[in-house]
Amino acid sequence: MRRKARTVVMLALAIVACLQPVRAERGPSTQEERDKALALIDTLERDPLGKDANAARQWLTLWLIEVPDISVTVCTSMLGPLAESKKSYTGEIVVQQMYSLAAFIIRNPDKRNDEAAVQQAGVEGALRTYESILQSKPKAHQPFLDELLRKRDAGELATYAAAELKACK
């Protein structure tokens, strides 16, 4: 399962990066689509292992590929060694970062160019997903994510995200 989740995440990121020309074939996202995306993203943060989670991820990934008006850039260093981790549920957490970036952009269109705020929102969404996983799978702790939770709770996440953003450029 771990390898499958990791493969799905990497495939999703590759598809988003490689299929940008598909976006030109359709118009911008509709309000109905954005509402659906936000509902799915919020549900995935609360219940990332739910029975409909994979279908939600599939819809969100394809939608992000298709829509020309919502574009996300995932800074994988924000989640440190997680993208290379073989621990359970890593895929769900990493891909949630991408969806949470999109949610921030949808909810805050005036801040879409504030890359530090966008990336911080991605990390926060990934952390909410991690916390949800821990509720049902308490042995799924990952030290790096536990440290990010500590930083978030101490009010240090914005500083962390700004510093990590430099590594992405």
Side-chain angles (χ1 to χ4, degrees):
M1 181 66 174
R2 282 181 252 157
R3 187 171 297 175
K4 181 181 175 187
R6 185 171 177 217
T7 301
V8 168
V9 169
M10 293 304 155
L11 182 60
L13 294 175
I15 290 171
V16 170
C18 294
L19 294 181
Q20 297 297 322
V22 173
R23 293 174 158 205
E25 295 177 12
R26 66 156 283 171
S29 62
T30 65
Q31 185 62 50
E32 181 178 291
E33 289 173 320
R34 290 188 300 275
D35 291 344
K36 178 179 180 176
L38 290 173
L40 291 174
I41 293 165
D42 291 344
T43 298
L44 286 171
E45 285 183 4
R46 285 188 315 275
D47 189 15
L49 306 177
K51 66 179 177 75
D52 297 326
N54 285 338
R57 287 184 191 96
Q58 191 173 36
W59 186 89
L60 284 165
T61 300
L62 291 174
W63 181 72
L64 283 172
I65 291 166
E66 293 173 356
V67 295
D69 58 321
I70 300 171
S71 179
V72 297
T73 302
V74 179
C75 177
T76 57
S77 73
M78 292 285 171
L79 296 180
L82 207 62
E84 301 299 320
S85 175
K86 294 181 181 179
K87 291 190 174 220
S88 296
Y89 315 113
T90 296
E92 289 86 347
I93 297 165
V94 171
V95 79
Q96 189 64 38
Q97 177 188 14
M98 177 174 66
Y99 302 145
S100 296
L101 294 169
F104 181 84
I105 290 168
I106 293 167
R107 288 183 173 123
N108 304 280
D110 57 318
K111 294 183 181 179
R112 74 181 324 129
N113 294 322
D114 184 348
E115 198 60 33
V118 173
Q119 293 299 326
Q120 180 180 341
V123 173
E124 289 171 349
L127 290 176
R128 285 188 295 273
T129 301
Y130 175 59
E131 289 175 311
S132 294
I133 290 169
L134 289 177
Q135 287 178 1
S136 61
K137 307 287 183 186
K139 293 183 180 181
H141 276 278
Q142 297 196 36
F144 184 82
L145 292 176
D146 291 338
E147 176 60 16
L148 282 183
L149 286 174
R150 187 204 62 74
K151 287 180 184 195
R152 182 199 64 192
D153 294 346
E156 300 169 359
L157 199 58
T159 302
Y160 169 81
E164 281 303 311
L165 185 57
K166 293 176 185 174
C168 291
K169 294 188 177 206

